[in-house]
Amino acid sequence: QVTLWLKKIYGDVPIPEYEVNERTVDILHEVMECNEETDKDVKLLIEDMKDRATKYEAEAEYWNDILGESLGLSEGSLSEEASKDLTDLVESAMELEVEDTSLTSFYSAINYMTSELYKTKSKNEEMELKLKTLTKKLTSALMMEKQLEEDIKKIKESQEAEQAKAESRSKNLKFLEDKSKDLKIRIKDAEDELVARGLDQSLMHEALVESSEELVALQKELEPLKKELASYYDLPPSIPLAQVKVEEARREL
């Protein structure tokens, strides 16, 4: 079936080569069925159009006979102006898609088209308003996008500057740490050299710091003792004088 159909389609032209297997044959068979269904529909449509054309021709002859016999009107008997008016009338009826050429049909069709025209104009105005609104929104969005790009650029520049500062600080910190380590090593070497030359350990920096801390602690311990001792400064230097002083205080009391 598929082969016969392909020969029918291509006629005298050789059928293009294709891989013959179950899948390709199934696809071609499906296409063949769709094509045959379409051909049937087209044939039915052509027959229907032919039937309509026959009916229209018969109806035209019928009205032509009526106009010719009853009114004595024929295409040749009309004046040029009448033929032109009749042609305009027919074209207008076809353009307006009216069922007949009565004034009622023309008025109804014109009113309908006028209403559709107003609807179209209103829809166009609505679309123009939407277009203006969308244009404003788009312009605002583009400006915002541009502003955001500038802000992002500034932030990147600021971050790069901060990163450069951080790197510089990190380098300075590393330099100070290395310098501190170097100074500690030099101080330790100098102390070892001084100790080797017989310097007293109590005069070393660490010993002096420790002695200073002990001195501060002792001064704090002496503070309450000094306050207690100050209360005895007004007493006489001997016991008899002290007894006299106590007796005077007793009499005064």
Side-chain angles (χ1 to χ4, degrees), residues 3 5-18:
T3 304
W5 173 71
L6 289 174
K7 288 180 179 180
K8 181 181 177 182
I9 293 295
Y10 285 97
D12 297 333
V13 180
I15 301 174
E17 295 183 0
Y18 64 95

mmCIF file of all heavy atoms in Angstrom, residues 3 5-18:
data_model
loop_
_atom_site.group_PDB
_atom_site.id
_atom_site.type_symbol
_atom_site.label_atom_id
_atom_site.label_comp_id
_atom_site.label_asym_id
_atom_site.label_seq_id
_atom_site.Cartn_x
_atom_site.Cartn_y
_atom_site.Cartn_z
ATOM 1 N N THR A 3 3.967 1.594 -1.008
ATOM 2 C CA THR A 3 4.713 1.703 -2.272
ATOM 3 C C THR A 3 3.806 2.239 -3.380
ATOM 4 O O THR A 3 4.203 3.125 -4.150
ATOM 5 C CB THR A 3 5.294 0.338 -2.665
ATOM 6 O OG1 THR A 3 6.109 -0.151 -1.606
ATOM 7 C CG2 THR A 3 6.130 0.456 -3.920
ATOM 8 N N TRP A 5 1.147 4.001 -3.038
ATOM 9 C CA TRP A 5 0.817 5.413 -2.737
ATOM 10 C C TRP A 5 1.969 6.341 -3.119
ATOM 11 O O TRP A 5 1.753 7.413 -3.686
ATOM 12 C CB TRP A 5 0.475 5.532 -1.252
ATOM 13 C CG TRP A 5 0.283 6.957 -0.801
ATOM 14 C CD1 TRP A 5 -0.747 7.781 -1.106
ATOM 15 C CD2 TRP A 5 1.167 7.702 0.028
ATOM 16 N NE1 TRP A 5 -0.573 9.007 -0.515
ATOM 17 C CE2 TRP A 5 0.599 8.978 0.198
ATOM 18 C CE3 TRP A 5 2.367 7.423 0.657
ATOM 19 C CZ2 TRP A 5 1.204 9.966 0.958
ATOM 20 C CZ3 TRP A 5 2.954 8.410 1.422
ATOM 21 C CH2 TRP A 5 2.393 9.659 1.554
ATOM 22 N N LEU A 6 3.217 5.936 -2.815
ATOM 23 C CA LEU A 6 4.382 6.749 -3.170
ATOM 24 C C LEU A 6 4.506 6.888 -4.686
ATOM 25 O O LEU A 6 4.822 7.961 -5.209
ATOM 26 C CB LEU A 6 5.655 6.132 -2.587
ATOM 27 C CG LEU A 6 5.817 6.225 -1.062
ATOM 28 C CD1 LEU A 6 7.039 5.439 -0.603
ATOM 29 C CD2 LEU A 6 5.939 7.679 -0.614
ATOM 30 N N LYS A 7 4.242 5.780 -5.433
ATOM 31 C CA LYS A 7 4.297 5.852 -6.894
ATOM 32 C C LYS A 7 3.229 6.802 -7.424
ATOM 33 O O LYS A 7 3.455 7.560 -8.377
ATOM 34 C CB LYS A 7 4.096 4.457 -7.489
ATOM 35 C CG LYS A 7 5.288 3.529 -7.300
ATOM 36 C CD LYS A 7 5.025 2.170 -7.921
ATOM 37 C CE LYS A 7 6.236 1.241 -7.752
ATOM 38 N NZ LYS A 7 5.990 -0.101 -8.356
ATOM 39 N N LYS A 8 2.060 6.783 -6.775
ATOM 40 C CA LYS A 8 0.986 7.680 -7.188
ATOM 41 C C LYS A 8 1.345 9.132 -6.919
ATOM 42 O O LYS A 8 1.043 10.031 -7.716
ATOM 43 C CB LYS A 8 -0.287 7.291 -6.437
ATOM 44 C CG LYS A 8 -1.490 8.153 -6.800
ATOM 45 C CD LYS A 8 -2.691 7.704 -5.997
ATOM 46 C CE LYS A 8 -3.893 8.603 -6.289
ATOM 47 N NZ LYS A 8 -5.087 8.231 -5.485
ATOM 48 N N ILE A 9 2.020 9.382 -5.770
ATOM 49 C CA ILE A 9 2.398 10.751 -5.409
ATOM 50 C C ILE A 9 3.484 11.280 -6.333
ATOM 51 O O ILE A 9 3.384 12.395 -6.867
ATOM 52 C CB ILE A 9 2.880 10.802 -3.942
ATOM 53 C CG1 ILE A 9 1.718 10.513 -2.990
ATOM 54 C CG2 ILE A 9 3.491 12.168 -3.620
ATOM 55 C CD1 ILE A 9 0.612 11.533 -2.986
ATOM 56 N N TYR A 10 4.547 10.521 -6.559
ATOM 57 C CA TYR A 10 5.700 10.996 -7.329
ATOM 58 C C TYR A 10 5.504 10.833 -8.835
ATOM 59 O O TYR A 10 6.194 11.488 -9.623
ATOM 60 C CB TYR A 10 6.967 10.255 -6.886
ATOM 61 C CG TYR A 10 7.482 10.743 -5.553
ATOM 62 C CD1 TYR A 10 7.161 10.073 -4.383
ATOM 63 C CD2 TYR A 10 8.274 11.879 -5.464
ATOM 64 C CE1 TYR A 10 7.622 10.509 -3.154
ATOM 65 C CE2 TYR A 10 8.747 12.325 -4.241
ATOM 66 C CZ TYR A 10 8.418 11.649 -3.091
ATOM 67 O OH TYR A 10 8.879 12.089 -1.873
ATOM 68 N N GLY A 11 4.581 9.971 -9.277
ATOM 69 C CA GLY A 11 4.317 9.818 -10.701
ATOM 70 C C GLY A 11 5.532 9.271 -11.434
ATOM 71 O O GLY A 11 6.061 8.198 -11.092
ATOM 72 N N ASP A 12 5.968 10.024 -12.464
ATOM 73 C CA ASP A 12 7.114 9.596 -13.269
ATOM 74 C C ASP A 12 8.452 9.843 -12.574
ATOM 75 O O ASP A 12 9.484 9.325 -13.019
ATOM 76 C CB ASP A 12 7.102 10.327 -14.625
ATOM 77 C CG ASP A 12 5.859 9.970 -15.429
ATOM 78 O OD1 ASP A 12 5.320 8.863 -15.216
ATOM 79 O OD2 ASP A 12 5.434 10.809 -16.249
ATOM 80 N N VAL A 13 8.451 10.632 -11.513
ATOM 81 C CA VAL A 13 9.707 10.930 -10.780
ATOM 82 C C VAL A 13 10.070 9.731 -9.909
ATOM 83 O O VAL A 13 9.197 9.158 -9.239
ATOM 84 C CB VAL A 13 9.548 12.198 -9.900
ATOM 85 C CG1 VAL A 13 10.842 12.486 -9.157
ATOM 86 C CG2 VAL A 13 9.123 13.375 -10.761
ATOM 87 N N PRO A 14 11.360 9.316 -9.904
ATOM 88 C CA PRO A 14 11.760 8.175 -9.055
ATOM 89 C C PRO A 14 11.517 8.467 -7.571
ATOM 90 O O PRO A 14 11.698 9.594 -7.101
ATOM 91 C CB PRO A 14 13.260 8.029 -9.344
ATOM 92 C CG PRO A 14 13.457 8.686 -10.669
ATOM 93 C CD PRO A 14 12.466 9.804 -10.737
ATOM 94 N N ILE A 15 11.095 7.454 -6.865
ATOM 95 C CA ILE A 15 10.858 7.600 -5.417
ATOM 96 C C ILE A 15 12.202 7.746 -4.709
ATOM 97 O O ILE A 15 13.119 6.957 -4.960
ATOM 98 C CB ILE A 15 10.105 6.380 -4.871
ATOM 99 C CG1 ILE A 15 8.760 6.235 -5.590
ATOM 100 C CG2 ILE A 15 9.918 6.491 -3.368
ATOM 101 C CD1 ILE A 15 8.006 4.968 -5.221
ATOM 102 N N PRO A 16 12.366 8.741 -3.833
ATOM 103 C CA PRO A 16 13.631 8.888 -3.094
ATOM 104 C C PRO A 16 13.920 7.650 -2.260
ATOM 105 O O PRO A 16 13.017 6.999 -1.733
ATOM 106 C CB PRO A 16 13.378 10.115 -2.199
ATOM 107 C CG PRO A 16 12.264 10.849 -2.861
ATOM 108 C CD PRO A 16 11.415 9.816 -3.529
ATOM 109 N N GLU A 17 15.198 7.335 -2.165
ATOM 110 C CA GLU A 17 15.602 6.174 -1.390
ATOM 111 C C GLU A 17 15.420 6.445 0.103
ATOM 112 O O GLU A 17 15.674 7.551 0.579
ATOM 113 C CB GLU A 17 17.065 5.825 -1.682
ATOM 114 C CG GLU A 17 17.317 5.375 -3.104
ATOM 115 C CD GLU A 17 18.763 4.973 -3.330
ATOM 116 O OE1 GLU A 17 19.536 5.055 -2.348
ATOM 117 O OE2 GLU A 17 19.107 4.595 -4.460
ATOM 118 N N TYR A 18 14.990 5.439 0.822
ATOM 119 C CA TYR A 18 14.841 5.552 2.272
ATOM 120 C C TYR A 18 15.046 4.174 2.888
ATOM 121 O O TYR A 18 14.921 3.145 2.201
ATOM 122 C CB TYR A 18 13.464 6.114 2.648
ATOM 123 C CG TYR A 18 12.301 5.225 2.255
ATOM 124 C CD1 TYR A 18 11.757 4.322 3.165
ATOM 125 C CD2 TYR A 18 11.756 5.301 0.981
ATOM 126 C CE1 TYR A 18 10.700 3.514 2.812
ATOM 127 C CE2 TYR A 18 10.693 4.493 0.616
ATOM 128 C CZ TYR A 18 10.153 3.596 1.537
ATOM 129 O OH TYR A 18 9.112 2.790 1.191
#
